[in-house]
Amino acid sequence: MSVVLIIEDEEPIRELIKLNLDMAGYEILEACDGEEGLEYINNEKIDLVLLDIMLPKQDGYELLPKILKKNIPTIMLTAKDKLKDKVKGLDMGADDYVTKPFEAMELLARIKSVLRRAATEKTKVLFDDLEICLEQWKVLKDGKEVDLTYKEFDLLRLLVQNKGNAMSRERLLELVWDYEFEGNTRTVDMHIQRLRNKLGTDKIKTIYKVGYRLED
C-alpha cells in the first residue's frame, strides 16, 4: 500500500482528499503546515507528497527541495493558476501540478501516474557518469558496461539503495555475504576499493570506524 502525505492547511480540502485517497486504498499521512510536513518527511517512509504552495511556517516552494532531496515524488497542489507558478514548481523538480478546485478522479489519476513512473525510475539510478540498472544487474559508465562481479554489484546496490546513510562493515557483510563475520572486515574494504577503481568514482566515502556511505 502506497503512503501519501498530504501537506495542506485548509482542513476541508485536506479532509476531501483524505476521503478519496482512503477509498482508493492509499495509506494517508497529513500535515497542516510546512514544519509538520517536514517532520513526516524526515521520519516516515513516504511514497508521494501532495504539496500545497501557500502554507504556514514553511511554504511549498521552501519545502519542495527538502522533499526532493529524499527522492519522494511530489505533486504541487495549489489555488494558484498562473502559468509562471506552474512553471516554477515544475522547474524546481515537482512531478506534476494540480490546480484547485480539481476533480477527485483527476487527482487520483495523476497520483497513480506519478507513482507508476516513480516505481519504474527506481530500477535505474544515475549519478556522476554512471547508470546503475538494478533489475538487469548492470552498470554503465559513459554508456559502456562495467564488468562487476556478483558481490561487487550487490555491494553497490546496497550503497545506492541507502544513499546518504552510513552502512557498517558488519551490516554489509551480513547482507552481501549472508553471514555474520567474526574477526576483521577486510573483505568489505577490498571490495569497496575494487568498486572505486572500476567505477572511477570518489562518491563512496569511508566513514571512520563505521563503514561506508554513498554520497549524492
Side-chain angles (χ1 to χ4, degrees):
M1 181 185 298
S2 296
V3 179
V4 178
L5 170 61
I6 307 166
I7 309 179
E8 165 65 63
D9 63 323
E10 295 185 49
E11 186 174 358
I13 295 175
R14 196 169 65 246
E15 290 298 321
L16 180 60
I17 295 172
K18 279 175 56 182
L19 176 63
N20 284 281
L21 291 183
D22 185 58
M23 291 174 61
Y26 292 102
E27 185 176 337
I28 304 154
L29 299 172
E30 58 177 308
C32 62
D33 60 56
E35 288 186 2
E36 185 180 11
L38 187 59
E39 281 291 316
Y40 279 119
I41 291 158
N42 287 333
N43 296 294
E44 301 289 341
K45 183 184 180 302
I46 298 166
D47 296 296
L48 182 139
V49 174
L50 295 177
L51 178 64
D52 189 24
I53 288 181
M54 303 302 292
L55 290 169
K57 298 184 179 179
Q58 288 191 48
D59 68 27
Y61 291 137
E62 291 179 90
L63 204 52
L64 182 58
K66 300 169 186 176
I67 298 171
L68 298 179
K69 191 173 182 180
K70 298 283 187 178
N71 294 315
I72 304 173
T74 303
I75 297 176
M76 303 295 284
L77 191 65
T78 178
K80 290 190 173 184
D81 59 359
K82 294 180 181 178
L83 179 60
K84 66 178 183 179
D85 295 315
K86 295 181 181 181
V87 170
K88 181 176 179 179
L90 295 173
D91 280 349
M92 289 179 67
D95 294 87
D96 206 346
Y97 197 111
V98 178
T99 302
K100 296 182 281 188
F102 51 82
E103 293 291 335
M105 293 302 294
E106 178 192 3
L107 180 61
L108 290 173
R110 288 178 181 270
I111 290 172
K112 186 176 180 180
S113 176
V114 169
L115 286 172
R116 183 169 57 244
R117 187 164 67 245
T120 300
E121 290 172 352
K122 283 181 181 178
T123 66
K124 184 181 292 185
V125 179
L126 304 175
F127 72 93
D128 286 350
D129 55 356
L130 299 174
E131 179 180 333
I132 303 168
C133 306
L134 298 176
E135 288 190 344
Q136 289 81 19
W137 287 74
K138 182 169 65 176
V139 177
L140 303 176
K141 180 179 176 67
D142 293 326
K144 296 180 181 179
E145 187 168 355
V146 180
D147 184 21
L148 297 182
T149 67
Y150 178 88
K151 294 299 186 187
E152 287 167 351
F153 186 91
D154 207 19
L155 185 58
L156 178 61
R157 177 184 60 82
L158 279 171
L159 291 170
V160 167
Q161 291 175 340
N162 293 275
K163 185 165 62 174
N165 297 320
M167 298 197 72
S168 70
R169 292 174 175 85
E170 292 77 14
R171 183 61 173 157
L172 290 170
L173 276 168
E174 180 183 348
L175 293 172
V176 176
W177 283 268
D178 197 29
Y179 66 88
E180 293 184 3
F181 190 79
E182 295 181 2
N184 77 59
T185 53
R186 185 61 182 163
T187 187
V188 174
D189 297 333
M190 291 188 296
H191 277 74
I192 289 289
Q193 188 57 47
R194 284 201 290 267
L195 269 180
R196 286 169 171 160
N197 291 336
K198 288 184 177 182
L199 301 178
T201 182
D202 60 357
K203 294 296 182 73
I204 304 175
K205 301 294 185 181
T206 301
I207 309 302
Y208 182 62
K209 291 188 176 180
V210 177
Y212 297 95
R213 179 180 65 228
L214 183 68
E215 296 190 342
D216 291 328

